[in-house]
């Protein structure tokens, strides 16, 4: 019994020294969408074209919740105290879905909903989603791959947006990347609607 008490007493001071992961930042970043579906808007795939928007693939540097900064073309760092609420690819896919819904006459379906409905599919790779320290700008690059409904061919196009940023820090990263992502999402929505 004494041995157990001694071990417990010895372990108590160490409990304050042990850390399982980095200290979380004071707040988490998310994207502010410029185009949102109207509240109460009814959508019916019987009356409009439908599309499935997949979460884009990403390189490892942006597959995490940290905000990357390109210091040089061959070196990467992360913004101190800046962290996304969820991986950027998911945030961007949701923004794409909302923008397509709001700006086009298309119905965005999940992959499960599209089983009984021949839908177009938008896939792609989010190549860049971070800050460029040398040019002092937020950069979003998305390589889109559209498969039209009922067809086997794939149409590809690159979309890119650069937004100036005052300082490379957590306070400026979120708004600048939201602006750049909204520009790309708007261009993608126009392109998808035209194909």
């Amino acid at each position: 019994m004494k041995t157990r008490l001694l071990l417990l007493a010895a372990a108590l001071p160490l409990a304050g020294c042990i850390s399982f992961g980095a200290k979380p930042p004071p707040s988490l970043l998310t994207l502010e969408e410029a185009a949102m579906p109207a509240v109460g808007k009814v959508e019916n795939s019987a009356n409009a074209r439908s599309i499935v928007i997949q979460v884009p693939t990403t390189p490892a540097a942006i597959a995490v919740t940290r905000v990357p900064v390109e210091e040089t073309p061959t070196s990467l760092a992360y913004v101190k105290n800046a962290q996304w609420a969820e991986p950027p690819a998911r945030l961007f896919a949701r923004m794409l879905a909302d923008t397509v819904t709001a700006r086009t006459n298309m119905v965005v379906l999940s992959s499960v909903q599209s089983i009984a409905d021949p839908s177009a599919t938008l896939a792609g790779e989010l190549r860049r989603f971070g800050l460029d320290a040398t040019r002092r700008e937020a950069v979003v690059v998305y390589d889109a791959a559209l498969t039209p409904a009922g067809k086997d061919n794939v149409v590809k196009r690159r979309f890119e947006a650069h937004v100036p940023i005052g300082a490379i820090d957590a306070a400026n990263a979120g708004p600048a990347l939201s602006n750049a992502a909204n520009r790309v999402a708007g261009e993608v929505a126009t392109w998808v609607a035209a194909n």
Side-chain angles (χ1 to χ4, degrees):
M1 184 67 158
K2 285 183 181 181
T3 307
R4 286 186 184 169
L5 287 173
L6 285 172
L7 287 174
L8 189 60
L12 283 175
L14 293 175
C17 300
I18 298 172
S19 175
F20 296 100
K23 182 180 175 185
S27 62
L28 298 175
L29 302 175
T30 190
L31 296 177
E32 182 179 0
E33 298 178 16
M36 295 287 292
V39 175
K41 178 183 176 185
V42 176
E43 301 174 74
N44 188 337
S45 64
N47 306 328
R49 293 187 304 155
S50 58
I51 187 168
V52 174
I53 297 177
Q54 298 178 348
V55 174
T57 61
T58 59
I62 59 175
V64 297
T65 55
R66 297 167 69 192
V67 180
V69 179
E70 288 182 18
E71 295 179 318
T72 69
T74 58
S75 67
L76 200 65
Y78 289 96
V79 178
K80 184 179 179 181
N81 292 328
Q83 186 173 326
W84 294 108
E86 59 183 312
R90 286 192 204 152
L91 291 169
F92 184 68
R94 192 173 304 114
M95 176 181 277
L96 279 173
D98 287 345
T99 304
V100 168
T101 300
R103 294 190 180 176
T104 71
N105 188 29
M106 297 181 79
V107 179
V108 177
L109 302 175
S110 70
S111 55
V112 173
Q113 293 167 331
S114 71
I115 291 172
D117 191 326
S119 305
T121 302
L122 179 65
E125 182 180 7
L126 191 58
R127 305 277 308 228
R128 292 177 69 188
F129 198 88
L131 307 178
D132 185 327
T134 57
R135 296 182 178 174
R136 300 187 66 79
E137 59 189 14
V139 181
V140 174
V141 177
Y142 175 61
D143 286 345
L146 178 67
T147 304
K151 297 188 178 177
D152 294 331
N153 66 305
V154 176
V155 183
K156 296 183 81 175
R157 182 174 167 192
R158 174 169 283 191
F159 296 89
E160 189 168 329
H162 298 258
V163 173
I165 187 167
I168 307 292
D169 59 16
N172 289 289
L177 281 164
S178 282
N179 191 342
N182 274 299
R183 287 186 191 179
V184 169
E187 291 175 9
V188 171
T190 301
W191 176 67
V192 163
N195 281 286

PDB file of all heavy atoms in Angstrom, residues 61-62 64 66-72 74-80 82 129-133 168:
ATOM      1  N   ALA A  61       1.370  19.198 -47.865  1.00  0.00           N
ATOM      2  CA  ALA A  61       1.588  20.490 -47.203  1.00  0.00           C
ATOM      3  C   ALA A  61       0.288  21.180 -46.818  1.00  0.00           C
ATOM      4  O   ALA A  61       0.255  21.943 -45.848  1.00  0.00           O
ATOM      5  CB  ALA A  61       2.410  21.415 -48.102  1.00  0.00           C
ATOM      6  N   ILE A  62      -0.800  20.927 -47.565  1.00  0.00           N
ATOM      7  CA  ILE A  62      -2.074  21.561 -47.214  1.00  0.00           C
ATOM      8  C   ILE A  62      -3.136  20.548 -46.808  1.00  0.00           C
ATOM      9  O   ILE A  62      -4.298  20.910 -46.638  1.00  0.00           O
ATOM     10  CB  ILE A  62      -2.599  22.474 -48.349  1.00  0.00           C
ATOM     11  CG1 ILE A  62      -2.814  21.699 -49.643  1.00  0.00           C
ATOM     12  CG2 ILE A  62      -1.690  23.647 -48.552  1.00  0.00           C
ATOM     13  CD1 ILE A  62      -3.440  22.516 -50.739  1.00  0.00           C
ATOM     14  N   VAL A  64      -3.173  19.281 -43.992  1.00  0.00           N
ATOM     15  CA  VAL A  64      -3.262  19.486 -42.542  1.00  0.00           C
ATOM     16  C   VAL A  64      -4.093  20.731 -42.252  1.00  0.00           C
ATOM     17  O   VAL A  64      -4.504  21.446 -43.162  1.00  0.00           O
ATOM     18  CB  VAL A  64      -1.843  19.625 -41.931  1.00  0.00           C
ATOM     19  CG1 VAL A  64      -1.053  18.354 -42.112  1.00  0.00           C
ATOM     20  CG2 VAL A  64      -1.089  20.795 -42.557  1.00  0.00           C
ATOM     21  N   ARG A  66      -2.993  23.370 -40.632  1.00  0.00           N
ATOM     22  CA  ARG A  66      -2.142  24.554 -40.489  1.00  0.00           C
ATOM     23  C   ARG A  66      -2.113  25.336 -41.800  1.00  0.00           C
ATOM     24  O   ARG A  66      -2.410  24.812 -42.860  1.00  0.00           O
ATOM     25  CB  ARG A  66      -0.741  24.113 -40.080  1.00  0.00           C
ATOM     26  CG  ARG A  66      -0.774  23.418 -38.699  1.00  0.00           C
ATOM     27  CD  ARG A  66       0.491  22.703 -38.393  1.00  0.00           C
ATOM     28  NE  ARG A  66       1.569  23.659 -38.181  1.00  0.00           N
ATOM     29  CZ  ARG A  66       2.844  23.323 -38.113  1.00  0.00           C
ATOM     30  NH1 ARG A  66       3.201  22.078 -38.232  1.00  0.00           N
ATOM     31  NH2 ARG A  66       3.761  24.242 -37.926  1.00  0.00           N
ATOM     32  N   VAL A  67      -1.742  26.613 -41.726  1.00  0.00           N
ATOM     33  CA  VAL A  67      -1.723  27.486 -42.903  1.00  0.00           C
ATOM     34  C   VAL A  67      -0.289  27.578 -43.422  1.00  0.00           C
ATOM     35  O   VAL A  67       0.581  28.152 -42.759  1.00  0.00           O
ATOM     36  CB  VAL A  67      -2.266  28.893 -42.572  1.00  0.00           C
ATOM     37  CG1 VAL A  67      -2.230  29.785 -43.799  1.00  0.00           C
ATOM     38  CG2 VAL A  67      -3.683  28.802 -42.005  1.00  0.00           C
ATOM     39  N   PRO A  68      -0.027  27.038 -44.633  1.00  0.00           N
ATOM     40  CA  PRO A  68       1.336  27.057 -45.153  1.00  0.00           C
ATOM     41  C   PRO A  68       1.751  28.428 -45.690  1.00  0.00           C
ATOM     42  O   PRO A  68       0.929  29.179 -46.205  1.00  0.00           O
ATOM     43  CB  PRO A  68       1.300  26.025 -46.280  1.00  0.00           C
ATOM     44  CG  PRO A  68      -0.114  26.007 -46.728  1.00  0.00           C
ATOM     45  CD  PRO A  68      -0.944  26.322 -45.527  1.00  0.00           C
ATOM     46  N   VAL A  69       3.041  28.707 -45.570  1.00  0.00           N
ATOM     47  CA  VAL A  69       3.638  29.926 -46.117  1.00  0.00           C
ATOM     48  C   VAL A  69       4.832  29.512 -46.950  1.00  0.00           C
ATOM     49  O   VAL A  69       5.756  28.873 -46.447  1.00  0.00           O
ATOM     50  CB  VAL A  69       4.120  30.887 -45.008  1.00  0.00           C
ATOM     51  CG1 VAL A  69       4.747  32.129 -45.608  1.00  0.00           C
ATOM     52  CG2 VAL A  69       3.006  31.252 -44.070  1.00  0.00           C
ATOM     53  N   GLU A  70       4.807  29.868 -48.239  1.00  0.00           N
ATOM     54  CA  GLU A  70       5.966  29.621 -49.092  1.00  0.00           C
ATOM     55  C   GLU A  70       6.958  30.749 -48.855  1.00  0.00           C
ATOM     56  O   GLU A  70       6.700  31.896 -49.200  1.00  0.00           O
ATOM     57  CB  GLU A  70       5.551  29.602 -50.564  1.00  0.00           C
ATOM     58  CG  GLU A  70       4.762  28.388 -50.946  1.00  0.00           C
ATOM     59  CD  GLU A  70       4.424  28.382 -52.423  1.00  0.00           C
ATOM     60  OE1 GLU A  70       5.066  29.115 -53.200  1.00  0.00           O
ATOM     61  OE2 GLU A  70       3.506  27.636 -52.794  1.00  0.00           O
ATOM     62  N   GLU A  71       8.089  30.402 -48.224  1.00  0.00           N
ATOM     63  CA  GLU A  71       9.118  31.407 -47.975  1.00  0.00           C
ATOM     64  C   GLU A  71       9.972  31.616 -49.219  1.00  0.00           C
ATOM     65  O   GLU A  71      10.390  32.719 -49.525  1.00  0.00           O
ATOM     66  CB  GLU A  71       9.978  30.985 -46.785  1.00  0.00           C
ATOM     67  CG  GLU A  71       9.186  30.941 -45.488  1.00  0.00           C
ATOM     68  CD  GLU A  71      10.015  30.498 -44.306  1.00  0.00           C
ATOM     69  OE1 GLU A  71      10.821  29.554 -44.455  1.00  0.00           O
ATOM     70  OE2 GLU A  71       9.863  31.106 -43.239  1.00  0.00           O
ATOM     71  N   THR A  72      10.248  30.523 -49.924  1.00  0.00           N
ATOM     72  CA  THR A  72      10.948  30.538 -51.209  1.00  0.00           C
ATOM     73  C   THR A  72      10.269  29.459 -52.052  1.00  0.00           C
ATOM     74  O   THR A  72       9.457  28.695 -51.526  1.00  0.00           O
ATOM     75  CB  THR A  72      12.449  30.197 -51.052  1.00  0.00           C
ATOM     76  OG1 THR A  72      12.567  28.825 -50.680  1.00  0.00           O
ATOM     77  CG2 THR A  72      13.133  31.089 -50.022  1.00  0.00           C
ATOM     78  N   THR A  74      11.288  26.720 -52.777  1.00  0.00           N
ATOM     79  CA  THR A  74      11.629  25.381 -52.284  1.00  0.00           C
ATOM     80  C   THR A  74      11.567  25.239 -50.767  1.00  0.00           C
ATOM     81  O   THR A  74      12.017  24.222 -50.235  1.00  0.00           O
ATOM     82  CB  THR A  74      13.042  24.995 -52.762  1.00  0.00           C
ATOM     83  OG1 THR A  74      13.972  25.971 -52.279  1.00  0.00           O
ATOM     84  CG2 THR A  74      13.109  24.896 -54.269  1.00  0.00           C
ATOM     85  N   SER A  75      11.025  26.226 -50.067  1.00  0.00           N
ATOM     86  CA  SER A  75      10.924  26.088 -48.610  1.00  0.00           C
ATOM     87  C   SER A  75       9.549  26.535 -48.122  1.00  0.00           C
ATOM     88  O   SER A  75       8.954  27.476 -48.650  1.00  0.00           O
ATOM     89  CB  SER A  75      12.027  26.880 -47.897  1.00  0.00           C
ATOM     90  OG  SER A  75      11.841  28.260 -48.076  1.00  0.00           O
ATOM     91  N   LEU A  76       9.087  25.830 -47.104  1.00  0.00           N
ATOM     92  CA  LEU A  76       7.739  26.025 -46.589  1.00  0.00           C
ATOM     93  C   LEU A  76       7.779  26.151 -45.076  1.00  0.00           C
ATOM     94  O   LEU A  76       8.537  25.456 -44.407  1.00  0.00           O
ATOM     95  CB  LEU A  76       6.904  24.799 -46.973  1.00  0.00           C
ATOM     96  CG  LEU A  76       5.414  24.892 -46.984  1.00  0.00           C
ATOM     97  CD1 LEU A  76       4.947  25.864 -48.064  1.00  0.00           C
ATOM     98  CD2 LEU A  76       4.822  23.522 -47.274  1.00  0.00           C
ATOM     99  N   ALA A  77       6.945  27.051 -44.552  1.00  0.00           N
ATOM    100  CA  ALA A  77       6.768  27.191 -43.106  1.00  0.00           C
ATOM    101  C   ALA A  77       5.265  27.244 -42.859  1.00  0.00           C
ATOM    102  O   ALA A  77       4.476  27.103 -43.795  1.00  0.00           O
ATOM    103  CB  ALA A  77       7.459  28.457 -42.609  1.00  0.00           C
ATOM    104  N   TYR A  78       4.875  27.440 -41.611  1.00  0.00           N
ATOM    105  CA  TYR A  78       3.454  27.560 -41.286  1.00  0.00           C
ATOM    106  C   TYR A  78       3.233  28.816 -40.463  1.00  0.00           C
ATOM    107  O   TYR A  78       4.093  29.208 -39.672  1.00  0.00           O
ATOM    108  CB  TYR A  78       2.961  26.318 -40.537  1.00  0.00           C
ATOM    109  CG  TYR A  78       2.888  25.100 -41.422  1.00  0.00           C
ATOM    110  CD1 TYR A  78       3.931  24.182 -41.470  1.00  0.00           C
ATOM    111  CD2 TYR A  78       1.794  24.874 -42.236  1.00  0.00           C
ATOM    112  CE1 TYR A  78       3.878  23.077 -42.296  1.00  0.00           C
ATOM    113  CE2 TYR A  78       1.727  23.771 -43.075  1.00  0.00           C
ATOM    114  CZ  TYR A  78       2.764  22.882 -43.097  1.00  0.00           C
ATOM    115  OH  TYR A  78       2.714  21.792 -43.926  1.00  0.00           O
ATOM    116  N   VAL A  79       2.081  29.450 -40.625  1.00  0.00           N
ATOM    117  CA  VAL A  79       1.766  30.682 -39.905  1.00  0.00           C
ATOM    118  C   VAL A  79       1.588  30.357 -38.426  1.00  0.00           C
ATOM    119  O   VAL A  79       0.832  29.447 -38.062  1.00  0.00           O
ATOM    120  CB  VAL A  79       0.476  31.338 -40.464  1.00  0.00           C
ATOM    121  CG1 VAL A  79       0.124  32.589 -39.673  1.00  0.00           C
ATOM    122  CG2 VAL A  79       0.633  31.665 -41.938  1.00  0.00           C
ATOM    123  N   LYS A  80       2.262  31.117 -37.587  1.00  0.00           N
ATOM    124  CA  LYS A  80       2.179  30.909 -36.144  1.00  0.00           C
ATOM    125  C   LYS A  80       0.766  31.202 -35.661  1.00  0.00           C
ATOM    126  O   LYS A  80       0.154  32.204 -36.038  1.00  0.00           O
ATOM    127  CB  LYS A  80       3.185  31.826 -35.440  1.00  0.00           C
ATOM    128  CG  LYS A  80       3.243  31.628 -33.953  1.00  0.00           C
ATOM    129  CD  LYS A  80       4.266  32.537 -33.325  1.00  0.00           C
ATOM    130  CE  LYS A  80       4.280  32.333 -31.817  1.00  0.00           C
ATOM    131  NZ  LYS A  80       5.241  33.220 -31.160  1.00  0.00           N
ATOM    132  N   ALA A  82      -2.032  29.979 -36.406  1.00  0.00           N
ATOM    133  CA  ALA A  82      -3.108  29.915 -37.401  1.00  0.00           C
ATOM    134  C   ALA A  82      -3.426  28.460 -37.689  1.00  0.00           C
ATOM    135  O   ALA A  82      -2.549  27.691 -38.071  1.00  0.00           O
ATOM    136  CB  ALA A  82      -2.698  30.630 -38.684  1.00  0.00           C
ATOM    137  N   PHE A 129      -3.046  26.431 -51.342  1.00  0.00           N
ATOM    138  CA  PHE A 129      -4.047  27.053 -50.481  1.00  0.00           C
ATOM    139  C   PHE A 129      -3.286  27.596 -49.278  1.00  0.00           C
ATOM    140  O   PHE A 129      -3.245  26.990 -48.217  1.00  0.00           O
ATOM    141  CB  PHE A 129      -5.097  26.023 -50.047  1.00  0.00           C
ATOM    142  CG  PHE A 129      -6.364  26.649 -49.533  1.00  0.00           C
ATOM    143  CD1 PHE A 129      -7.387  26.962 -50.406  1.00  0.00           C
ATOM    144  CD2 PHE A 129      -6.524  26.927 -48.187  1.00  0.00           C
ATOM    145  CE1 PHE A 129      -8.555  27.539 -49.945  1.00  0.00           C
ATOM    146  CE2 PHE A 129      -7.686  27.494 -47.715  1.00  0.00           C
ATOM    147  CZ  PHE A 129      -8.707  27.803 -48.596  1.00  0.00           C
ATOM    148  N   GLY A 130      -2.617  28.721 -49.497  1.00  0.00           N
ATOM    149  CA  GLY A 130      -1.779  29.273 -48.438  1.00  0.00           C
ATOM    150  C   GLY A 130      -1.272  30.649 -48.798  1.00  0.00           C
ATOM    151  O   GLY A 130      -1.839  31.334 -49.651  1.00  0.00           O
ATOM    152  N   LEU A 131      -0.174  31.036 -48.174  1.00  0.00           N
ATOM    153  CA  LEU A 131       0.380  32.373 -48.345  1.00  0.00           C
ATOM    154  C   LEU A 131       1.737  32.300 -49.035  1.00  0.00           C
ATOM    155  O   LEU A 131       2.491  31.352 -48.849  1.00  0.00           O
ATOM    156  CB  LEU A 131       0.523  33.051 -46.980  1.00  0.00           C
ATOM    157  CG  LEU A 131      -0.735  33.075 -46.103  1.00  0.00           C
ATOM    158  CD1 LEU A 131      -0.427  33.730 -44.768  1.00  0.00           C
ATOM    159  CD2 LEU A 131      -1.882  33.774 -46.801  1.00  0.00           C
ATOM    160  N   ASP A 132       2.006  33.319 -49.840  1.00  0.00           N
ATOM    161  CA  ASP A 132       3.291  33.465 -50.506  1.00  0.00           C
ATOM    162  C   ASP A 132       4.000  34.651 -49.854  1.00  0.00           C
ATOM    163  O   ASP A 132       3.566  35.796 -50.006  1.00  0.00           O
ATOM    164  CB  ASP A 132       3.083  33.717 -52.002  1.00  0.00           C
ATOM    165  CG  ASP A 132       4.381  33.752 -52.788  1.00  0.00           C
ATOM    166  OD1 ASP A 132       5.410  34.198 -52.238  1.00  0.00           O
ATOM    167  OD2 ASP A 132       4.364  33.355 -53.960  1.00  0.00           O
ATOM    168  N   ALA A 133       5.054  34.373 -49.088  1.00  0.00           N
ATOM    169  CA  ALA A 133       5.742  35.420 -48.334  1.00  0.00           C
ATOM    170  C   ALA A 133       6.504  36.381 -49.230  1.00  0.00           C
ATOM    171  O   ALA A 133       6.589  37.575 -48.937  1.00  0.00           O
ATOM    172  CB  ALA A 133       6.693  34.798 -47.316  1.00  0.00           C
ATOM    173  N   ILE A 168       1.857  38.639 -42.868  1.00  0.00           N
ATOM    174  CA  ILE A 168       1.803  37.168 -42.833  1.00  0.00           C
ATOM    175  C   ILE A 168       1.567  36.761 -41.373  1.00  0.00           C
ATOM    176  O   ILE A 168       2.505  36.528 -40.617  1.00  0.00           O
ATOM    177  CB  ILE A 168       3.105  36.544 -43.377  1.00  0.00           C
ATOM    178  CG1 ILE A 168       3.443  37.079 -44.755  1.00  0.00           C
ATOM    179  CG2 ILE A 168       3.019  35.031 -43.365  1.00  0.00           C
ATOM    180  CD1 ILE A 168       2.510  36.681 -45.860  1.00  0.00           C
TER     181      ILE A 168
END
